[in-house]
Amino acid sequence: MGHGGGGAMSAELVEHVFAPAFGGPLLASLGDSAALTLGGARLAFSTDSFVVRPLFFPGGSIGDLAVNGTVNDLAMSGARPAYLSCAFILEEGVEMSVVARVAQALGEAARRAGVEVVTGDTKVVEAGHGDGIYLNTAGIGLIPAGVDIRAQRAAPGDVVIVSGDIGVHGVAVMSVREGLEFGVRIESDCAALGGLVEAMLAVTPDLHVLRDPTRGGLGAALNEIAVAAGVGVLVQERAVPVPDEVANACAVLGLDPMYVANEGKLVAFVPREHAEAVLAAMRAHPLGARATVIGECVADHPGMVVARTGLGGTRVVDLPIGEQLPRIC
Amino acid sequence: MGHGGGGAMSAELVEHVFAPAFGGPLLASLGDSAALTLGGARLAFSTDSFVVRPLFFPGGSIGDLAVNGTVNDLAMSGARPAYLSCAFILEEGVEMSVVARVAQALGEAARRAGVEVVTGDTKVVEAGHGDGIYLNTAGIGLIPAGVDIRAQRAAPGDVVIVSGDIGVHGVAVMSVREGLEFGVRIESDCAALGGLVEAMLAVTPDLHVLRDPTRGGLGAALNEIAVAAGVGVLVQERAVPVPDEVANACAVLGLDPMYVANEGKLVAFVPREHAEAVLAAMRAHPLGARATVIGECVADHPGMVVARTGLGGTRVVDLPIGEQLPRIC
Ligand SMILES: Nc1ncnc2c1ncn2[C@@H]1O[C@H](COP(=O)(O)OP(=O)(O)OP(=O)(O)O)[C@@H](O)[C@H]1O
Ligand SMILES: Nc1ncnc2c1ncn2[C@@H]1O[C@H](COP(=O)(O)OP(=O)(O)OP(=O)(O)O)[C@@H](O)[C@H]1O
Ligand SMILES: [Mg+2]
Ligand SMILES: [Mg+2]
Ligand SMILES: [Mg+2]
Ligand SMILES: [Mg+2]
Ligand SMILES: [Mg+2]
Ligand SMILES: [Mg+2]
């Protein structure tokens, strides 16, 4: 098995190995989080491990990612994130001051996101069997009544909105890794999206799909939605907000910003009649100030994402092949 | 920082680094799982990472541990375990057939335990930065009305019951590691204790304390309870069930069975008036067939565990210093 962040490989393993072995019905929907009912409460439940290298990067750290990554997967079900678990795998020899800084960052990120870390675990492995710190968080949140947000609900006519500039997190991590310099310092967009989602739900509980385009970027997220719902997605290429610094860095690195990870952005499929009001609510929130419409959901070419280029032509936006950026989250 | 399973180090890190950094009130009680209320439901929430070496050992695998470890931490709050998350950190180069066998074992263990794996994550790290497979699970369960089980509730007069033979898991793993042979093959006791706890709760919801004596063994578990509740614990040394094979292996390895990990046992503090009935219910369950009273909770020597030896003397059962057995879970 080759290495990488595991995004593309993860999808194959989940389909061919994990889902068949685990066999439960809830896993099958493969959302950002699982939606379940327990003791009468409708809950979202999600987990992610974090293996980012380096542990600290412009705009954040593995501690921020561990909170925001899980909080965002919960928020993508429309849930209000509430409680987190947090498990450290420490490599023998890691500096205690580094562990303390990561813990501090994690605690502060949790307070900013309005969630409480309530349980955890700590394991230690020998030097050469880890990489300083690996972190896992799992989270639970409450899904409000009337909310049913999942990829399968994308419908022709839906307006596709992205909450802001794309490609920033992946480029920020790459900019400090292997000493690459692009002149301008690019900071990760890592942020908790629970508040932004609440603002959107205040307009209407009837949002169809939300997804945080992390590993695999916007391109992978749109493809997964198109396949899950059996719909087409038509993107206006010029409407996709890519900052100049990101575009320049991607040119140097040979990357396509459509496939670069984001850690503080979401893409939404919104029924046309609510789109304008939802967009306005997003723009009124600090994390959605640059929200914009990038395309629409169509009945044509089901399962495929097609971009209309600046010159009026069209091209297929494929799933990314393999991993563009290993260990960026 | 030195290496080890992280049990003793975990406790220090949690007290001095993690709890202060995270700062929430729920973490402070440091139970096997956190008890919380969400959407009107009383939930238990817990997590553990698993770094056991080798991945397969007599009587189980990392997949079994990952299910039973988290299920048991939930059951120790009296919760009925319901849903699990499951996150793999794969080392580049790990055989796909090994990943598949672990996934299969995990799925089967989940079905046996009556829980459903509903969400997960997969990351891949470079060769030399992992050890084949690290696993994390988090779990949620429902706490029945009227149940309030936690270390702080241990009270003088409580009868201390252990559900069966101790020291088996740690010795089973050691027996295959570094090629040690003890003549007799010792199989891990790894098992899910949800059903046993249900049988105990059917006698009375008023169990005071349950704990699964994993890393640090029975000795650590009893000490943690004594400190948390500010009570003393008096153990009849001869009553503690240690199989001959475990005693012999421990003698060879220079270990004290009181500090060797168990993965399918629990220790219970039960109000005296219910002790006999609870013990009978345990013995009627396959996982409690060898349940036995090992001592009592006392008002004397608060925070301390004292053993009455076979010769009529007493000795203090300290907290284990450092780690006896690294990476046994
Ligand atoms: N090891 C696994 N076992 C079970 N389900 C898994 C596993 N790995 C991933 N999944 C499931 O596959 C889907 C995709 O997982 P993935 O981790 O790619 O999503 P994500 O967390 O939203 O993205 P990222 O990890 O980049 O933040 C999710 O529904 C997740 O629950
Ligand atoms: N990194 C951490 N962050 C927050 N809390 C932690 C962390 N590590 C451990 N804890 C908390 O400390 C307590 C003891 O944890 P520990 O992992 O030793 O218990 P356990 O899971 O019952 O044992 P084991 O891991 O051997 O199965 C628990 O309440 C746990 O939630
Ligand atoms: Mg996601
Ligand atoms: Mg995620
Ligand atoms: Mg633990
Ligand atoms: Mg425990
Ligand atoms: Mg545990
Ligand atoms: Mg994930």
Side-chain angles (χ1 to χ4, degrees):
Chain A
M1 199 188 60
H3 81 271
M9 176 161 309
S10 167
E12 279 187 29
L13 277 170
V14 172
E15 185 180 340
H16 299 296
V17 179
F18 298 132
F22 304 162
L26 278 167
L27 191 61
S29 67
L30 294 182
D32 292 286
S33 58
L36 46 93
T37 301
L38 196 55
R42 281 186 72 217
L43 305 178
F45 182 29
S46 191
T47 191
D48 265 325
S49 293
F50 298 86
V51 299
V52 67
R53 212 178 29 143
L55 297 174
F56 295 86
F57 46 80
S61 72
I62 191 171
D64 300 279
L65 280 182
V67 169
N68 296 333
T70 291
V71 159
N72 291 347
D73 279 330
L74 296 173
M76 296 308 112
S77 302
R80 181 194 279 253
Y83 296 107
L84 290 188
S85 67
C86 141
F88 282 72
I89 297 178
L90 302 175
E91 185 188 15
E92 175 191 14
V94 63
E95 297 267 352
M96 272 307 127
S97 61
V98 172
V99 176
R101 278 172 64 209
V102 167
Q104 207 61 46
L106 197 156
E108 283 163 20
R111 284 184 284 277
R112 272 195 304 271
V115 294
E116 189 177 338
V117 179
V118 293
T119 185
D121 183 61
T122 310
K123 295 287 186 295
V124 184
V125 297
E126 304 91 334
H129 289 289
D131 201 358
I133 299 176
Y134 294 146
L135 259 178
N136 176 281
T137 49
I140 49 180
L142 198 62
I143 304 177
V147 169
D148 178 23
I149 300 174
R150 51 195 164 86
Q152 292 77 5
R153 287 196 70 217
D158 285 356
V159 175
V160 180
I161 303 175
V162 70
S163 65
D165 293 335
I166 68 158
V168 184
H169 174 74
V171 165
V173 172
M174 287 308 283
S175 75
V176 287
R177 200 144 93 201
E178 0 235 335
L180 294 174
E181 287 286 347
F182 307 110
V184 196
R185 180 178 149 109
I186 300 173
E187 299 224 326
S188 170
D189 58 348
C190 187
L193 298 170
L196 177 62
V197 171
E198 266 188 72
M200 296 167 72
L201 285 172
V203 175
T204 172
D206 191 30
L207 306 174
H208 283 172
V209 187
L210 296 175
R211 182 147 291 203
D212 58 334
T214 52
R215 286 181 294 174
L218 186 60
L222 293 176
N223 269 281
E224 286 159 16
I225 295 165
V227 170
V231 296
V233 177
L234 184 63
V235 173
Q236 302 299 332
E237 199 164 56
R238 282 196 163 162
V240 177
V242 182
D244 286 344
E245 310 91 81
V246 170
N248 294 340
C250 282
V252 173
L253 292 161
L255 300 174
D256 182 339
M258 282 294 280
Y259 301 124
V260 174
N262 311 278
E263 292 289 345
K265 299 288 151 35
L266 62 80
V267 57
F269 283 54
V270 180
R272 191 163 294 273
E273 66 268 31
H274 299 302
E276 208 173 316
V278 168
L279 187 63
M282 293 175 77
R283 288 188 174 155
H285 189 282
L287 293 175
R290 285 177 51 75
T292 189
V293 173
I294 60 165
E296 62 188 317
C297 185
V298 296
D300 287 347
H301 51 81
M304 272 175 64
V305 180
V306 170
R308 184 150 288 153
T309 64
L311 303 172
T314 58
R315 67 176 181 98
V316 172
V317 180
D318 277 320
L319 261 182
I321 298 162
E323 211 62 48
Q324 284 211 55
L325 300 173
R327 295 185 59 187
I328 35 77
C329 66
Chain B
M1 197 188 59
H3 81 270
M9 177 161 308
S10 168
E12 280 187 29
L13 276 170
V14 171
E15 185 180 341
H16 299 297
V17 179
F18 298 132
F22 304 161
L26 277 167
L27 191 61
S29 66
L30 295 182
D32 291 285
S33 58
L36 45 93
T37 302
L38 196 54
R42 281 185 73 216
L43 305 178
F45 183 29
S46 191
T47 191
D48 265 325
S49 293
F50 298 87
V51 300
V52 67
R53 212 177 29 141
L55 296 174
F56 296 85
F57 47 81
S61 72
I62 191 171
D64 300 278
L65 280 181
V67 169
N68 296 333
T70 292
V71 159
N72 291 348
D73 278 331
L74 295 173
M76 296 308 112
S77 302
R80 180 193 279 253
Y83 296 107
L84 290 188
S85 67
C86 140
F88 282 72
I89 297 178
L90 303 174
E91 185 188 15
E92 176 192 11
V94 64
E95 298 267 353
M96 271 308 126
S97 62
V98 172
V99 177
R101 278 172 64 208
V102 167
Q104 207 60 45
L106 197 155
E108 282 162 21
R111 284 183 285 278
R112 272 196 303 273
V115 294
E116 189 178 337
V117 179
V118 293
T119 185
D121 183 61
T122 311
K123 295 287 187 295
V124 185
V125 297
E126 304 90 334
H129 289 289
D131 202 357
I133 299 176
Y134 294 147
L135 260 178
N136 176 281
T137 49
I140 50 181
L142 197 62
I143 304 176
V147 169
D148 178 23
I149 300 175
R150 51 197 163 85
Q152 291 76 8
R153 289 195 68 216
D158 285 356
V159 174
V160 180
I161 302 176
V162 70
S163 63
D165 292 336
I166 67 158
V168 184
H169 174 74
V171 165
V173 173
M174 286 307 282
S175 75
V176 286
R177 200 143 90 200
E178 1 233 337
L180 294 174
E181 288 285 347
F182 307 110
V184 196
R185 180 178 149 109
I186 300 173
E187 299 224 326
S188 170
D189 58 349
C190 188
L193 297 170
L196 178 63
V197 171
E198 267 188 71
M200 297 167 71
L201 285 172
V203 174
T204 172
D206 191 31
L207 306 174
H208 284 171
V209 187
L210 296 175
R211 181 147 292 202
D212 58 335
T214 53
R215 287 180 293 175
L218 186 60
L222 293 176
N223 269 281
E224 286 158 17
I225 295 165
V227 170
V231 296
V233 177
L234 184 63
V235 173
Q236 301 297 333
E237 198 162 57
R238 281 196 164 162
V240 176
V242 182
D244 285 344
E245 310 91 80
V246 169
N248 294 340
C250 283
V252 173
L253 292 160
L255 299 173
D256 182 339
M258 283 292 280
Y259 300 124
V260 174
N262 311 278
E263 292 289 344
K265 298 290 151 35
L266 62 80
V267 57
F269 283 54
V270 180
R272 190 163 293 273
E273 65 269 31
H274 299 302
E276 209 172 316
V278 168
L279 187 63
M282 292 175 76
R283 288 188 175 155
H285 190 281
L287 293 175
R290 286 177 50 75
T292 190
V293 173
I294 60 165
E296 62 188 317
C297 184
V298 296
D300 287 347
H301 51 81
M304 272 174 66
V305 180
V306 170
R308 182 149 291 152
T309 64
L311 302 172
T314 59
R315 65 175 181 99
V316 172
V317 180
D318 277 321
L319 259 182
I321 297 164
E323 211 62 48
Q324 283 210 58
L325 299 175
R327 295 186 56 187
I328 36 77
C329 66

